[in-house]
Amino acid sequence: MTLELKDYIATIPDYPEKGVIFRDISPLMADGTAYRQATNEIVQYAREKNVEMIVGPEARGFIVGCPVAYQLGIGFAPARKKGKLPNETISATYNLEYGTAELQLQKLAIKPGQRVLVTDDLLATGGTISATIEMVERLGGIVVGTAFIIELTELKGREKIKDYDMLSLIKY
């Protein structure tokens, strides 16, 4: 049975500010069948790409990337904010509407030539994803694709990662 995944996405108008529509995957994650369907679609995509490692930024990247990596029997590496990772790291900055932010990735997380899928729950402006891709490639990894549960098309994140194959399960 295939579910309509959009039925499991929360829509919150005027959050965090007037005119913005926030989309949240919490209801999807709370429903085991819907969550399993979403992650299984990403697992299939990763299999087709012969992925050897999953990388995801911050908490929501973990929520999507960890179950995919587990099902594939491969590793997951988090890209985190500065100071949250042990060992030696590399970093990349990205623009926010109010300044810049920085993500870090452990230097030993990616092996040269390793086929990597970058995952997150949401593609919005593409800042965290482009920073994550930059770090993977600086470590010698090959980004073979990106995967998201939701893509907010009006925020044009796809433009920042247009050179990479992409799976978006739901588009708004």
Side-chain angles (χ1 to χ4, degrees), residues 24-93:
D24 183 38
I25 69 166
S26 294
L28 181 134
M29 292 174 4
D31 184 287
T33 303
Y35 187 47
R36 189 169 34 260
Q37 179 178 320
T39 57
N40 283 344
E41 288 185 42
I42 296 171
V43 165
Q44 182 58 39
Y45 177 74
R47 279 192 179 119
E48 292 168 6
K49 299 283 182 193
N50 296 313
V51 169
E52 300 169 306
M53 175 63 87
I54 307 285
V55 178
E58 285 301 328
R60 295 299 178 126
F62 304 167
I63 290 168
V64 176
C66 284
V68 172
Y70 179 77
Q71 285 186 58
L72 293 169
I74 62 176
F76 173 82
R80 300 290 316 264
K81 290 194 169 120
K82 186 175 183 176
K84 294 189 175 188
L85 290 172
N87 305 322
E88 195 174 350
T89 62
I90 63 166
S91 63
T93 58

Side-chain angles (χ1 to χ4, degrees), residues 137-152:
E137 291 181 340
R138 283 180 25 218
L139 292 172
I142 301 166
V143 177
V144 296
T146 59
F148 311 97
I149 293 177
I150 301 172
E151 179 182 353
L152 301 177

